[in-house]
Structures are given as C-alpha cells and as structure tokens.
Amino acid sequence: MSTDSPLSQEATENEHRQENVTGPHPAYDDHGRLDYRYWRCERCGFESVDPRLRDGCFRCGAAPSGEDEGGGDAD
C-alpha cells in the first residue's frame, strides 16, 4: 500500500470538498484478516491510520467528508 502517492492533478480549487477525506477503509494482512483501518485524502492521496484525519487533511487542508467549503469567523 502506497501512502504517499498523489492523485491526478485534475482537481481544482472550485471542486466541492465534501468528498475529500474518506474512511475508515479496511486494510488486510497476507492471510485476509483485518489488520487496521485508515483514512484517505482523495485530494492529495495522503493516507493515515491517525483518526484525526477525519477532521481534515494535514497535508493539503482538505475538508473531511460531509463538511462545507469555507467557514471561519465573519467580522
């Protein structure tokens, strides 16, 4: 399993960010048994077993699934 392979550069800044962080995805050992679960950023390809990735991508700042683009405090 490659954990550092970026996806195609077809993604744009105008793309909806709701589907950028997905998971948990199951990973299996050589005997077909569940080994661990991981989360994946669909925007940059980063994969991690750290469940904090659900809160957003550490590498590219992509939003987790189900979150809206934007946000922040308005003055």
Side-chain angles (χ1 to χ4, degrees), residues 33-48:
R33 296 177 298 218
L34 180 64
D35 193 15
Y36 60 91
R37 297 184 189 280
Y38 64 95
W39 286 262
R40 175 187 305 129
C41 176
E42 299 295 334
R43 186 174 179 195
C44 71
F46 179 67
E47 295 178 354
S48 177

Side-chain angles (χ1 to χ4, degrees), residues 7-37:
L7 297 176
S8 168
Q9 295 300 320
E10 296 174 4
T12 65
E13 288 298 318
N14 296 329
E15 178 181 7
H16 292 288
R17 295 167 56 144
Q18 286 93 339
E19 299 301 322
N20 285 328
V21 177
T22 61
H25 301 283
Y28 300 95
D29 65 12
D30 293 338
H31 303 286
R33 296 177 298 218
L34 180 64
D35 193 15
Y36 60 91
R37 297 184 189 280

Side-chain angles (χ1 to χ4, degrees), residues 17 63 67-75:
R17 295 167 56 144
E67 294 240 345
D68 292 331
E69 187 174 353
D73 295 335
D75 291 328

